[in-house]
Each structure stands twice: as structure tokens, then as C-alpha cells.
Amino acid sequence: MSGLLVPYYEHPAERPAAWDAVVAAAPRLYGVVINPASGPGAAPDPAFAAVAARLRDAGVRVVGYVDTDYGRRPHAAVLGDLLRHRDWYAADGVFFDQVSSGPDALPHYGRLSVTARAAGATTVVLNHGVHPHPAYAELAEVLVTFEGPWDAYRTAGVPSWTAAHPPERFCHLVYAAPPDVHAGAAIHCVVPGTGAHPWGTLPHALGSG
């Protein structure tokens, strides 16, 4: 399945119309990344719980954001975030962010993947932001192999090993992008946002709210 994977990091109570647009786009979505506070937060957020329920009712994957700090974050802390996303927002998947790309970290991320599935995650997304070692493809449904600005994306290459996998195994997240440009991955998100918080804007495909 292809489509938009939307990391929209704005509070539903502050941007209700934008979230309405996300929910209305359900047939075009691969999933939505829920990120109340660089993770699930310290306590359940009713507004995020409500929008997560609306997304699920519309048939959209709800994927919880979990930072791994390139393998430096302790396994127990990562697991705690994963379980809070599941218990508070009924997330059915996990978006592991800041994922290492080299082979040395493969055992760590293999363990995290197994743990996520044991906790009920049906979709595991690894956000490397670059092309990782090919063995990472065995650990997740989706690898984010590009995250960055449009100017860099225009010249980004694709390693030959990716051809051995279906195109829907890869995702590109592109920001600082002009209108009417398109990502080359089956799963993607292209937004106008710039600076430290580009994912506070909707993808061009849904409007810029």
C-alpha cells in the first residue's frame, strides 16, 4: 500500500481545521504519525486521543512517534514510549525516529522491532533519513530513506539494493518544498515547512494549514 505518511506535529486543539483535513484525506493516507510531545508525553492528551480515534474510524494507521537517539536511548525508555502510545492513543504502529543507518546498530534495532511487534505494533517504520545498511529492510515494513529539504532531495541518489524490495517499503519525507513537486517514493510526504519545525505544516497535497 502506498500513499501519504503524514508527520503532522501540531496540537489538534490548536489546529482543528488542519486535522479535519488530515482525517478527510483518509483514502489517500498510508498513515499518520502521532507526536504529542516528542513522543507520547507524560500523561494522556485527550485531544490527541480523540483525533487518533477519528483516524482509526476512518481506516487510517495511527503510528506513534518514538525517538531512539541513534541507538543511544535506553531500550526501556523506548519501550515505555511505545507502550504509552498503544495504551493512550491505541496506536497500531510505531515510527522510530533518529534511527542509526550502520550495521553495528542492527542488533539493537532488531530487538526494538521484535519488542514493538510483541507489544502489538502491526507497522514498524524506521526513520533513518538516509539510505541505511540493506539489512534494515528485514526489520520494518517501511524505511524512511530520505528526510531533508527539497534542494538536497533533487540530487539524492538511490542505491541499487533497493530494487530488490517492493517500492512501498520506502518513504521519503521532504520539507522546504515548492508546490507541485513530487517525491519519488511510493510512501511520502512533501511539505512547505522550513526551519526547526517543518512538520508543523500539512503536505502540499492536503493544503498548507
Side-chain angles (χ1 to χ4, degrees):
M1 178 181 175
S2 60
L4 293 168
L5 177 63
V6 180
Y8 186 53
Y9 300 160
E10 291 290 324
H11 198 279
E14 297 175 0
R15 305 294 291 276
W19 276 103
D20 288 346
V22 174
V23 175
R28 303 163 61 189
L29 303 181
Y30 178 85
V32 174
V33 183
I34 295 292
N35 186 13
S38 296
D45 186 316
F48 272 100
V51 81
R54 291 175 62 199
L55 289 165
R56 288 194 310 277
D57 289 345
V60 178
R61 288 179 181 85
V62 176
V63 185
Y65 176 97
V66 178
D67 183 17
T68 72
D69 194 22
Y70 300 104
R72 293 185 292 262
R73 195 162 180 236
H75 181 90
V78 173
L79 174 60
D81 278 1
L82 173 70
L83 295 178
R84 284 187 282 274
H85 275 299
R86 182 196 68 183
D87 296 343
W88 296 348
Y89 309 115
D92 47 19
V94 59
F95 181 91
F96 286 127
D97 195 24
Q98 298 198 109
V99 175
S100 300
S101 59
D104 291 351
L106 278 163
H108 175 72
Y109 285 100
R111 184 182 175 208
L112 288 180
S113 179
V114 169
T115 299
R117 297 186 196 288
T122 57
T123 301
V124 174
V125 181
L126 298 179
N127 183 15
H128 308 275
V130 298
H131 284 283
H133 187 280
Y136 281 96
E138 306 303 318
L139 306 183
E141 279 66 44
V142 177
L143 304 182
V144 179
T145 56
F146 182 90
E147 181 179 0
W150 173 253
D151 284 348
Y153 186 67
R154 290 185 299 171
T155 58
V158 178
S160 59
W161 67 263
T162 62
H165 300 278
E168 60 269 19
R169 299 292 305 281
F170 302 101
C171 174
H172 296 164
L173 302 178
V174 186
Y175 55 82
D180 303 321
V181 300
H182 303 282
I187 300 172
H188 55 271
C189 191
V190 180
V191 303
T194 60
H197 183 46
W199 306 114
T201 54
L202 290 180
H204 283 299
L206 305 186
S208 58

